[in-house]
Amino acid sequence: MGISMPKVQFEVDRGADKRICSNPSYSRYVLGYDRSIPLSEFVDKIYSEKLDEITRSRDRLQESWDKINDKVAERLAEIMQIKWPGRNAIGFMTINRICPRNLKAWSFYVSYFLDIGAQKGIVLHELTHFLYFEKWKQVFPDYSESEFEKPNLIWELSEILVEPIDKDKELMKLVPKTAKAYNRYYSIKINGKESVIDHFAKLYERDRADFGNMLRIAYEEIKNIGVFDLTTD
């Protein structure tokens, strides 16, 4: 296509992992942490014991992802009808079961202990988010980046739509094990009938030919259905 594709560099960074594991929103998800010692000491202990294993996981993921990176990025650009900006992404290996992302830094976390298929599903999920919000900025030029984070409807919509986007047939040939959306999108029903995820998956499939217009329609829809309590996580 003659356009620059982002690269993803995976890193083992104990400091970065310690910062995310120490975040109160994520600390309870640290694998194996029993609170018998301070969390920062626990992270140091795990890295002392398992650094080779964490590094091997990083190396394995880097090698595997590099083989599909450009094809994944090209397909995401086709789906969302936008060119990638000239920047790369960083994936930090983590001992956490939660894998948050940073939109400003284009960085995210990948659990080192997952199988390679699940890890690649996380990478695809986060790259989808990064490009999705670039498209959002084009479609809604009066955007506020604070609304890209929870608790906001724009954030909710991004987390819902990433699943049908990543279930694209061409993407699934490259990354068959896609990351699932939050469980609540399956349990919350609209008018007591279909789930949130089913509702927006249908909307996406119906209107995806014009991705920007699909976003406009979906945004109006999520504002109108009134099923989210934005006062809680």
Side-chain angles (χ1 to χ4, degrees), residues 65 72 86 127:
W65 185 262
V72 168
L127 287 181

Side-chain angles (χ1 to χ4, degrees), residues 193-212:
K193 298 179 181 178
E194 63 182 353
S195 69
V196 167
I197 197 74
D198 287 343
H199 183 78
F200 281 95
K202 291 176 183 176
L203 185 154
Y204 171 77
E205 289 299 329
R206 185 191 70 201
D207 297 312
R208 62 179 295 181
D210 184 337
F211 194 90

Side-chain angles (χ1 to χ4, degrees), residues 60-78:
R60 177 194 63 182
L61 178 56
Q62 188 75 67
E63 181 180 6
S64 184
W65 185 262
D66 284 348
K67 294 176 182 178
I68 61 172
N69 179 85
D70 286 2
K71 290 182 179 179
V72 168
E74 182 174 342
R75 183 57 185 154
L76 285 173
E78 290 173 348

Side-chain angles (χ1 to χ4, degrees), residues 100-154:
R101 47 83 173 153
N102 184 316
L103 279 176
K104 290 185 178 180
W106 270 34
S107 66
F108 59 93
Y109 289 80
V110 182
S111 300
Y112 87 90
F113 47 82
L114 294 176
D115 64 68
I116 189 71
Q119 288 179 332
K120 291 195 289 188
I122 291 170
V123 180
L124 171 61
H125 182 98
E126 301 308 339
L127 287 181
T128 303
H129 276 310
F130 294 157
L131 192 60
Y132 175 98
F133 282 110
E134 293 300 313
K135 183 67 175 185
W136 189 275
K137 293 173 186 177
Q138 288 186 356
V139 176
F140 301 97
D142 295 329
Y143 66 89
S144 169
E145 289 194 0
S146 64
E147 293 185 278
F148 297 170
E149 308 295 341
K150 65 179 179 182
N152 287 285
L153 283 180
I154 292 174

